[in-house]
Amino acid sequence: MQDFRNKVAVVTGGAGGIGKALVKALLDDGAKVVIADVEEGAMDAAVAECSGEGREVSAFKVDVRKPESVEALADFVYAQHGACHLLFNNAGVAAPSANIWETTPNDWAWIYSVNVMGVAHGIQSFVPRMIAGGEEGYVINTTSGDGGISSLPYQSVYASSKAAVCAMTECLASQLESENTRLRASLFYPSGGVLVTGLWNPERNRPEELTREKPGAPPPDIEAFKEAMKAAGAEMQFQDLDELARFTLDGVREQRFVIMKNLDEAAETLRRRSERYGRAELPIVFEEIPQM
């Protein structure tokens, strides 16, 4: 898919961060975009910010944890536009850092319901309709190097959820090709540097019924992180989200299965991990883990 003009795109988690950057990039390229998000206020603000002459953007409140909510989103998109050509399963949340034995059932229930089941629900509600439409289409699932490439030990819940997204997307892409559909799928790895997104405030959307059963580590603080890196003499590189979104759309045009900046570094990490597996060793080496 080279030309996004008049193509219909759906972006979950589209009200902020990487999602909103993707929305803006898609609109710049002439796509019709539906912002899907659980935060209604932020979603309305994003529509107002992204609207303009010649731009077609709308919003639909969705809770990707719930299949009926994602199905309602698909109903809305097809009622409004009659098609979906680009599906960005981008919504994601994170849990507090902790040893696995210090995590709680609700940590796992919440993260997996959004990060894993949210992607599955998106595929289940949209892909059959996209196949039936007979048009060229793309499914882009947001994963993370934390889990997709190598896992941060104290982010076991988040990392394992993103590893699941990788496995799911590999299977999806293979199935779409083997079934001779006109759809393709990609893994999008947010990358290129430190990303200032909603994951730095992970508890803001946590449902009351999935509240953590016991106190945990305080949520990450981007400003404290900056100060700690400065004190350590570490040079921080921040990734511009708008540039990352444009990079992602280029990856779709080029039909890359893996859309990731600095892919050669990730490949080297995977090579070293593979060698450790081959020696029956633990693939995680603490000395190689970025201190975040």
Side-chain angles (χ1 to χ4, degrees), residues 1-2 4 22 25-26 29 86 88 136-141 184-189 243-261 263:
M1 184 181 295
Q2 298 297 311
F4 297 151
L22 288 167
L26 287 160
D29 284 358
L86 295 154
F88 290 82
E136 188 178 17
Y138 234 97
V139 179
I140 302 93
N141 296 331
R184 293 296 179 264
S186 287
L187 273 171
F188 166 43
Y189 285 86
E243 193 277 332
L244 180 61
R246 291 190 293 271
F247 173 85
T248 304
L249 297 191
D250 286 342
V252 174
R253 290 187 181 93
E254 295 166 10
Q255 292 197 14
R256 283 183 254 153
F257 175 71
V258 177
I259 301 175
M260 184 181 194
K261 285 179 167 287
L263 187 55

Side-chain angles (χ1 to χ4, degrees), residues 85-276:
H85 305 99
L86 295 154
L87 173 64
F88 290 82
N89 288 309
N90 173 72
V93 292
S97 295
N99 293 312
I100 293 179
W101 58 89
E102 294 168 336
T103 63
T104 76
N106 278 351
D107 286 339
W108 293 88
W110 181 44
I111 302 304
Y112 269 63
S113 66
V114 176
N115 293 3
V116 181
M117 295 312 301
V119 174
H121 295 153
I123 293 167
Q124 291 165 340
S125 290
F126 279 91
V127 167
R129 305 186 200 213
M130 294 169 74
I131 292 173
E135 297 184 74
E136 188 178 17
Y138 234 97
V139 179
I140 302 93
N141 296 331
T142 300
T143 183
S144 172
D146 181 13
I149 304 299
S150 184
S151 301
L152 296 175
Y154 295 101
Q155 277 291 325
S156 54
V157 187
Y158 179 80
S160 61
S161 75
K162 290 303 186 179
V165 171
C166 291
M168 191 191 316
T169 310
E170 287 184 22
C171 293
L172 172 66
S174 176
Q175 293 161 6
L176 291 174
E177 292 195 29
S178 66
E179 295 290 329
N180 296 315
T181 76
R182 298 194 67 195
L183 307 186
R184 293 296 179 264
S186 287
L187 273 171
F188 166 43
Y189 285 86
S191 48
V194 178
L195 302 164
V196 182
T197 71
L199 287 183
W200 288 96
N201 184 19
E203 297 291 314
R204 72 191 191 285
N205 290 329
R206 188 162 182 158
E208 186 176 350
E209 68 272 19
L210 292 178
T211 298
R212 206 165 194 273
E213 295 91 337
K214 59 185 179 182
D221 183 323
I222 182 63
E223 295 304 323
F225 175 63
K226 290 179 184 178
E227 288 301 318
M229 293 296 99
K230 183 178 179 180
E235 183 178 346
M236 295 180 64
Q237 178 180 342
F238 287 86
Q239 173 60 49
D240 179 85
L241 299 185
D242 292 329
E243 193 277 332
L244 180 61
R246 291 190 293 271
F247 173 85
T248 304
L249 297 191
D250 286 342
V252 174
R253 290 187 181 93
E254 295 166 10
Q255 292 197 14
R256 283 183 254 153
F257 175 71
V258 177
I259 301 175
M260 184 181 194
K261 285 179 167 287
N262 305 322
L263 187 55
D264 54 340
E265 295 177 13
E268 177 60 20
T269 297
L270 289 171
R271 184 192 64 77
R272 293 195 301 268
R273 284 173 57 81
S274 178
E275 290 177 351
R276 291 178 192 123

Side-chain angles (χ1 to χ4, degrees), residues 19 24 62 69 198 248 292:
K24 291 190 290 185
V62 65
S69 183
T248 304
M292 297 181 65

